[in-house]
């Protein structure tokens, strides 16, 4: 490829593309949210804090209760389909037979996620 003369139009094109790349880099950095990983043992009550918000997981008589700070959190199962029942900010479901299973707690308005690994 032969070298081309740096014209005013080519310089403007390079500067525009460089500006777009810098903006994309800073936008991704500003909106990045780290996924929090939490491991709970279901033999006891598990309480943990993420960014000042308190969550708790309790297992009683084969039913697991996940209490979130407010109703803007959604609980889903990563490993298989569980029947989740939501009452206000408390989610409940029957304890699966798997020794380990994963729940994902996501916030409806923030780009926040918590990966919750439950050990029996």
């Amino acid at each position: 490829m032969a070298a081309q003369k740096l014209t005013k139009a080519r310089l403007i094109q390079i500067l525009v593309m460089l500006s777009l790349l810098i903006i994309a880099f800073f936008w991704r950095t500003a909106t990045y949210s780290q996924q929090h990983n939490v491991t709970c043992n279901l033999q006891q009550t598990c309480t943990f804090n993420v960014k000042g918000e308190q969550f708790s997981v309790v297992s009683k008589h084969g039913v697991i209760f996940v209490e979130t700070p407010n109703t803007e959190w959604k609980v889903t199962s990563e490993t298989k389909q569980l029947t989740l029942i939501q009452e206000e900010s408390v989610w409940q479901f029957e304890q699966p037979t798997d020794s380990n299973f994963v729940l994902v707690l996501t916030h409806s308005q923030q780009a926040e996620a918590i990966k919750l690994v439950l050990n029996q």
Side-chain angles (χ1 to χ4, degrees), residues 13-117:
Q13 179 185 12
I14 291 170
L15 292 175
V16 167
M17 289 305 297
L18 182 63
S19 300
L20 287 174
L21 288 173
I22 290 172
I23 290 169
F25 173 78
F26 282 108
W27 176 260
R28 179 68 178 123
T29 302
T31 60
Y32 174 77
S33 72
Q34 180 180 3
Q35 183 178 23
H36 302 279
N37 295 322
V38 177
T39 302
C40 286
N41 185 356
L42 291 178
Q43 305 302 323
Q44 56 195 6
T45 301
C46 178
T47 304
F48 56 95
N49 292 313
V50 174
K51 292 194 174 183
E53 295 186 299
Q54 184 172 351
F55 299 83
S56 66
V57 180
V58 180
S59 177
K60 293 181 185 176
H61 309 293
V63 178
I64 298 175
F65 298 91
V66 179
E67 185 175 354
T68 59
N70 53 49
T71 57
E72 294 176 344
W73 287 91
K74 182 178 181 185
V75 180
T76 55
S77 173
E78 186 178 86
T79 53
K80 66 176 191 173
Q81 293 291 58
L82 294 175
T83 305
L84 298 165
I85 301 169
Q86 180 186 14
E87 295 176 10
E88 294 294 318
S89 61
V90 177
W91 294 77
Q92 65 180 359
F93 55 94
E94 289 191 27
Q95 190 167 343
T97 56
D98 302 346
S99 59
N100 294 330
F101 58 99
V102 178
L103 296 177
V104 178
L105 288 71
T106 53
H107 196 278
S108 61
Q109 296 177 348
Q110 302 171 0
E112 198 68 38
I114 303 168
K115 186 175 183 179
L116 180 60
V117 179

